């Protein structure tokens, strides 16, 4: 079997930071090859250099036996190298069908033969399972379908090699199964796939070979079974992941009192009622999770509570009516949010982003909390002078969580804290939540990973179509077969 892609001593630096050092990667034609490694280990940078987004600082890339010698992404795409990005880049004003057609047209496919372009676009949508959504607006697609659309757009390039950067981020159980099936059938059609993925279940189900990066260098390479038990990989990346390392929280102080009290919450987007009368509360000292499929209304609920969206109903925090408050008042009241899209200040340094989180606090206290946050996420210490915009996906997630912790909130609200984090770090973040909770901070958590969230929570609410369909003790919900099957996608 020949190698479709090779890198030779590939190196890329950013200022003093060596993001990749001497990488020799060989991807055999017709295989699914996974690249894994801690946050900031250079995975996305590797994709950027291979696909021509960045030039190598040293070394070279060979695709289909030819040196790519600094060719731009469009030229490489014409030669058969397609890729998706870690953060979705969709034209939100278009329909699903249109956004695939755009790619076909750009390839010069068919300004002449419009009908055949449409036929091809429908074929591709059918292949990834988006036929029913062909005429839907991209903006209205839930996360899982956006991922599939990204893949559809790459397939429209008719590629030989596809680079997928964390395609599974933010997907629920059913969507993950669909994604895996789609990648398998791409493979079945002879495509070679190079895949970055943190979810080891997914990697193990798909990969023929795995390359592990750590601090920009190759830590290991081999077959999945070997990598899973490789001591260096376990130590640097996997931790005890998958072995239920999450400790259940200590019992909450009291369930009677209400720190956060939400009654009859409603949110409309035009004609669509995304949240239809939700009652929810968090007692002081509680960890409460909000679960449910994509599109169930979880993030919308959190945004409405945080006044990021106009909403009907009543929301109060520690006795204060929040309806008259703006988002920026909430920190002063003791609420902090880690929002869905992180909302970092990209043009500010890591340290300054953290300082913003503690705005208005005494200097001595800021220093103390800063040390705590930097101890929790040691990589942020290393990156403290960098602009937030240049951080890797997982590093940005750490910064967003760190910034929220900086205000020492009474209630910490998090939207998908595990998204984009390496397995070991997910364990650490959940351990940290239990830790700050034991010191008195209440937590309201939105999570796709229901199993993990239930293990880490006192109570939970399950949403479907904008309503609460189940609620109660987290342990009991975790054992409730009907809830698990219908709403959480957790196999028994
Ligand atoms: N344009 C840039 N300028 C400065 N530093 C950068 C730039 N791009 C990436 N880096 C740094 O290079 C390192 C590698 O980043 P990269 O995005 O490749 O990591 P990753 O392995 O994809 O991580 P993650 O799993 O978190 O997505 C990080 O420390 C990051 O901060
Ligand atoms: Mg990345």
């Amino acid at each position: 079997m020949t190698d479709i892609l090779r890198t030779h001593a590939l190196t890329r630096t950013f200022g003093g930071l060596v993001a990749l050092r001497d990488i020799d990667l060989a991807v055999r034609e017709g295989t699914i090859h996974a690249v894994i490694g801690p946050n900031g280990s250079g995975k996305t940078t590797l994709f950027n250099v291979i696909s021509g987004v960045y030039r190598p600082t040293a070394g070279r890339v060979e695709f289909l036996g030819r040196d790519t010698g600094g060719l731009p992404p469009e030229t490489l795409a014409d030669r058969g190298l397609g890729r998706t990005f870690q953060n979705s880049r969709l034209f939100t004003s278009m329909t699903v069908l249109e956004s695939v057609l755009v790619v076909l047209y750009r390839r010069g496919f068919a300004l002449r033969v419009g009908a055949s372009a449409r036929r091809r676009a429908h074929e591709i949508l059918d292949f990834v399972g988006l036929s029913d959504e062909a005429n839907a607006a991209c903006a209205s697609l839930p996360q899982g379908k956006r991922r599939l659309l990204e893949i559809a757009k790459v397939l429209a390039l008719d590629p030989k090699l596809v680079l997928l950067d964390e395609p599974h981020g933010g997907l629920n159980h059913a969507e993950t199964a669909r994604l895996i099936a789609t990648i398998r059938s791409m493979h079945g059609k002879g495509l070679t796939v190079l895949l970055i993925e943190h979810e080891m279940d997914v990697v193990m189900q798909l990969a023929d070979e795995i390359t592990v990066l750590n601090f920009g260098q190759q830590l290991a390479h081999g077959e999945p079974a070997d990598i899973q038990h490789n001591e260096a990989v376990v130590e640097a990346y996997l931790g005890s992941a998958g072995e239920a390392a999450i400790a259940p929280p200590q019992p909450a102080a009291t369930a009677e009192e209400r720190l956060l009290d939400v009654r009859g919450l409603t949110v409309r987007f035009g004609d669509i009622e995304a949240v239809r009368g939700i009652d929810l509360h968090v007692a002081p000292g509680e960890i409460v999770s909000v679960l449910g499929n994509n599109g169930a209304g979880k993030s919308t609920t959190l945004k409405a509570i945080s006044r990021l969206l106009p909403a009907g109903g009543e929301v109060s925090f520690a006795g204060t009516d929040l309806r008259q408050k703006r988002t920026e008042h909430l920190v002063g009241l003791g609420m902090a949010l880690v929002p869905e899209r992180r909302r970092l200040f990209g043009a500010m340094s890591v340290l300054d982003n953290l300082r913003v989180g503690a705005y208005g606090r005494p200097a001595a206290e800021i220093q103390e909390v800063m040390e705590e946050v930097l101890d929790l996420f040691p990589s942020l210490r290393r990156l403290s002078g960098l602009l937030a915009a240049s951080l890797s996906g997982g590093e940005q997630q750490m910064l967003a969580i760190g910034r929220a912790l900086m205000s020492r909130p009474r209630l910490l609200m998090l939207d998908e804290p595990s998204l984009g984090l390496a397995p070991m770090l997910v364990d650490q973040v959940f351990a940290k939540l239990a830790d700050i909770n034991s010191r008195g901070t209440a937590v309201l958590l939105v999570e796709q990973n229901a199993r993990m969230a239930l293990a880490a929570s006192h109570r939970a609410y399950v949403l479907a179509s904008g309503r609460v369909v189940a609620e109660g003790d987290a342990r009991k919900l975790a054992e409730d077969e009907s809830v698990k099957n219908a709403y959480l996608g957790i196999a028994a």
Side-chain angles (χ1 to χ4, degrees):
M1 214 185 289
T2 53
D3 293 332
I4 190 167
L5 178 82
R6 293 188 72 99
T7 70
H8 302 274
L10 197 64
T11 296
R12 171 72 206 203
T13 60
F14 297 105
L17 189 139
V18 185
L20 288 177
R21 189 194 295 272
D22 288 336
I23 301 294
D24 295 315
L25 177 76
V27 179
R28 288 182 298 135
E29 193 166 1
T31 57
I32 300 180
H33 192 127
V35 179
I36 64 173
N39 297 117
S41 57
K43 304 180 298 296
T44 298
T45 304
L46 178 64
F47 273 24
N48 281 333
V49 178
I50 291 171
S51 61
V53 175
Y54 291 153
R55 282 171 161 272
T57 307
R60 57 191 186 86
V61 179
E62 216 179 281
F63 174 56
L64 289 170
R66 287 162 76 184
D67 213 325
T68 64
L71 292 173
E74 304 73 48
T75 311
L76 290 172
D78 289 341
R79 288 195 186 173
L81 197 156
R83 75 169 289 188
T84 64
F85 288 87
Q86 190 165 359
N87 300 313
S88 292
R89 297 185 172 188
L90 291 173
F91 301 112
T92 44
S93 60
M94 290 187 192
T95 67
V96 167
L97 182 69
E98 283 164 356
S99 62
V100 175
L101 280 173
V102 165
V103 181
L104 291 172
Y105 287 149
R106 209 188 287 146
R107 280 180 55 215
F109 191 86
L111 280 174
R112 297 156 278 142
V113 270
S116 84
R118 294 184 85 81
R119 205 175 315 123
R120 178 74 189 124
H122 279 294
E123 248 172 52
I124 294 169
L125 289 177
D126 191 37
F127 181 76
V128 302
L130 284 178
S131 293
D132 292 344
E133 283 79 11
N135 296 314
C138 293
S140 72
L141 288 188
Q143 192 60 247
K145 293 190 169 160
R146 284 184 187 216
R147 297 283 177 184
L148 293 173
L149 176 55
E150 294 225 6
I151 293 178
K153 287 175 60 185
V154 172
L155 293 179
L157 293 167
D158 204 8
K160 298 190 174 61
L161 170 68
V162 175
L163 275 44
L164 304 174
D165 195 348
E166 292 195 37
H168 157 276
L171 300 197
N172 67 20
H173 197 78
E175 291 166 337
T176 302
R178 173 83 231 181
L179 178 81
I180 291 175
T182 303
I183 296 176
R184 280 238 178 82
S185 30
M186 285 160 64
H187 178 237
K189 291 198 161 196
L191 264 173
T192 309
V193 178
L194 187 59
L195 171 79
I196 297 176
E197 181 55 63
H198 283 302
E199 186 62 59
M200 284 310 282
D201 281 353
V202 176
V203 172
M204 287 304 175
Q205 285 183 59
L206 283 172
D208 300 306
E209 280 180 49
I210 301 179
T211 297
V212 190
L213 299 186
N214 193 28
F215 291 113
Q217 284 174 285
Q218 186 171 313
L219 179 70
H221 169 250
E223 291 181 6
D226 301 330
I227 294 295
Q228 208 171 17
H229 300 110
N230 180 309
E231 264 177 47
V233 177
V234 171
E235 191 180 329
Y237 180 63
L238 294 173
S240 56
E243 283 159 30
I246 297 164
Q250 296 166 6
T254 154
E256 290 303 308
E257 209 182 320
R258 296 190 167 191
L259 182 63
L260 177 74
D261 198 7
V262 177
R263 289 172 201 253
L265 190 75
T266 58
V267 180
R268 301 187 69 91
F269 298 116
D271 291 342
I272 299 164
E273 244 190 315
V275 173
R276 310 171 182 218
I278 285 184
D279 293 340
L280 165 164
H281 70 270
V282 181
E286 261 193 322
I287 302 181
V288 175
S289 52
V290 178
L291 311 170
N293 286 327
N294 276 324
K298 306 185 301 294
S299 296
T300 308
T301 298
L302 213 55
K303 282 183 208 155
I305 292 172
S306 318
R307 313 324 280 169
L308 285 167
L309 284 174
E314 297 169 30
V315 182
S316 71
F317 180 75
T320 304
D321 188 343
L322 294 189
R323 279 176 300 179
Q324 309 305 324
K325 301 286 178 194
R326 291 209 307 268
T327 305
E328 52 271 34
H329 296 139
L330 302 188
V331 169
L333 293 172
M335 300 168 80
L337 172 70
V338 181
E340 196 176 19
R341 290 185 189 279
R342 297 168 190 154
R343 293 175 191 252
L344 297 167
F345 299 103
M348 280 166 54
S349 73
V350 168
L351 274 191
D352 285 340
N353 268 279
L354 290 175
R355 287 198 189 101
V356 168
Y359 184 74
R361 300 249 149 190
E365 190 187 308
I366 294 181
Q367 205 44 48
E368 195 185 309
V369 197
M370 180 85 80
E371 287 305 313
E372 267 178 49
V373 168
L374 295 177
D375 283 346
L376 172 63
F377 298 121
S379 354
L380 293 184
R381 203 183 282 281
R382 186 169 50 85
L383 304 163
S384 59
L386 284 186
L387 299 185
S390 67
L391 299 187
S392 80
E395 289 164 351
Q396 292 192 12
Q397 183 69 343
M398 295 177 217
L399 181 54
I401 297 173
R403 183 181 57 180
L405 290 174
M406 287 296 296
S407 66
R408 286 226 167 117
R410 294 174 67 190
L411 174 67
L412 177 63
M413 298 180 285
L414 307 109
D415 196 343
E416 301 255 4
S418 68
L419 193 65
L421 295 183
M424 198 158 71
L425 206 58
V426 172
D427 288 353
Q428 284 169 18
V429 164
F430 274 84
K432 181 68 184 177
L433 290 182
D435 176 38
I436 62 165
N437 172 253
S438 70
R439 289 188 265 154
T441 300
V443 177
L444 180 62
L445 181 75
V446 162
E447 254 295 342
Q448 198 61 251
N449 190 332
R451 195 195 301 271
M452 197 167 62
L454 287 172
S457 303
H458 297 109
R459 277 192 312 119
Y461 294 86
V462 179
L463 307 190
S465 308
R467 290 202 173 86
V468 175
V469 289
E471 64 177 284
D473 183 86
R475 298 284 159 303
K476 294 210 180 92
L477 282 175
E479 284 157 18
D480 187 328
E481 293 304 325
S482 63
V483 170
K484 277 175 13 183
N485 292 334
Y487 304 111
L488 300 179
I490 307 179

